[in-house]
Amino acid sequence: RPHEPAPPAKQRFKVVDVLSGRVLAQDVGARDTVGVLERMRSVLDARVSVWSTQAARWKLLSLDEQKALWRFRRVPPDARGR
């Protein structure tokens, strides 16, 4: 039987409040990252980084990548369009 490659490692994220510089979450999965973003008023209120195992450091997501995570938030219908 041929050797099957291991499944890719789950991505780990860090969320930092832009205004205070406080780390809101670190070493969390995508679901928890989206949960933290649900508490933010704007996609620009936080900086999101992903852990790079190759570089052994946190890499800041691009604005487009961060917006992609932002779209997974569960927003109450009455809060849309604000």
Side-chain angles (χ1 to χ4, degrees):
R1 187 174 163 176
H3 176 11
E4 295 180 20
K10 293 187 180 191
Q11 291 186 315
R12 308 307 295 170
F13 296 92
K14 177 169 78 169
V15 182
V16 177
D17 182 279
V18 169
L19 292 178
S20 70
R22 189 173 66 114
V23 175
L24 303 175
Q26 185 168 329
D27 200 31
V28 295
R31 184 178 305 219
D32 290 334
T33 300
V34 170
V36 172
L37 294 177
E38 286 177 345
R39 300 190 308 255
M40 309 304 287
R41 292 182 320 160
S42 165
V43 68
L44 301 175
D45 288 343
R47 287 189 305 258
V48 181
S49 301
V50 64
W51 181 254
S52 169
T53 53
Q54 287 181 326
R57 68 179 184 93
W58 292 104
K59 288 193 166 186
L60 188 63
L61 295 184
S62 70
L63 183 56
D64 285 339
E65 291 167 329
Q66 191 163 318
K67 284 180 178 180
L69 275 175
W70 182 261
R71 286 191 285 274
F72 284 104
R73 296 175 315 126
R74 288 174 282 164
V75 180
D78 63 340
R80 291 188 180 143
R82 289 186 188 172

